[in-house]
Amino acid sequence: LQPLDLGILLFDRIGIAQHLASQKLPIVIISETDNLPKSCIDTIRYDASACVPNFAAHCLSSGIRTVESITVGSPEPKINDTLRASGIHVTRRIIKPLQNAGIREGVERAVFNYFRTRFVQNAKILPDLFFFDDDFALRGALTSMQEAGIHIPKDVKVVTWANFGTIPVYPYSLTRMEINPFVCGKTISNRILAIL
């Protein structure tokens, strides 16, 4: 194997960072955190929450007062704190992906099951807006909403993060905070070339 000049680590992977540090390999971390290991020579800030203040302001101006935030991960999305600070009531629901399915299918089916049960119990109690931190979670919820006869955006508004070019087409009016991986990739590549 050829010796490496630089390791590039996407997000906080403590075990991998420690291993690379033990190999004396300089690394660059692409992350939202400032918690950097000693061998990290630089960081590229990946901050998907830069658009959140504008989103919160838009929610207020649109009359949004209650948000149900659906998450499939353990850290609470920063968007929830921003919405709360704006005076919007946020309820967080953590839904664990199904373990006996693939990664994406496990998320989609778990959220579908959660919403199906919820809508059977009472489909009339809805927040002003559902926020999904995962576009596959959104897919499961939309299928349940369609089954329950819930109309978007008349009955409830829906917002999600999404990657450019990967979301299916729906006959609903959805708001998406979109990340373009091609633009991000170019920015990251140029930064890494500058570091090298």
Side-chain angles (χ1 to χ4, degrees), residues 35-100:
N35 182 21
L36 306 174
K38 291 180 181 177
S39 65
C40 183
I41 61 170
D42 209 337
T43 182
I44 299 171
R45 187 93 176 156
Y46 178 87
D47 192 356
S49 61
C51 63
V52 167
N54 288 342
F55 168 64
H58 181 71
C59 284
L60 285 173
S61 68
S62 301
I64 302 297
R65 296 294 174 258
T66 58
V67 171
E68 187 167 330
S69 176
I70 309 297
T71 63
V72 293
S74 51
E76 183 158 14
K78 292 179 183 177
I79 196 166
N80 291 354
D81 290 335
T82 306
L83 291 171
R84 286 183 185 116
S86 300
I88 295 171
H89 178 78
V90 179
T91 303
R92 182 182 180 210
R93 304 275 184 238
I94 304 170
I95 300 174
K96 300 291 183 193
L98 297 180
Q99 297 300 310
N100 57 350

Side-chain angles (χ1 to χ4, degrees), residues 96-113 136:
K96 300 291 183 193
L98 297 180
Q99 297 300 310
N100 57 350
I103 295 171
R104 293 184 178 105
E105 184 181 344
V107 168
E108 192 168 339
R109 284 187 181 276
V111 175
F112 171 80
N113 292 341
F136 288 96

Side-chain angles (χ1 to χ4, degrees), residues 118-163:
R118 175 196 168 131
F119 294 147
V120 165
Q121 290 170 352
N122 195 339
K124 294 182 180 178
I125 299 177
L126 295 170
D128 295 329
L129 183 145
F130 282 116
F131 172 77
F132 295 87
D133 73 345
D134 181 276
D135 42 358
F136 288 96
L138 167 73
R139 286 166 52 149
L142 288 178
T143 304
S144 284
M145 287 183 206
Q146 186 175 30
E147 184 181 59
I150 292 168
H151 298 96
I152 301 165
K154 186 175 99 175
D155 298 327
V156 65
K157 293 174 177 56
V158 173
V159 174
T160 187
W161 294 121
N163 290 321

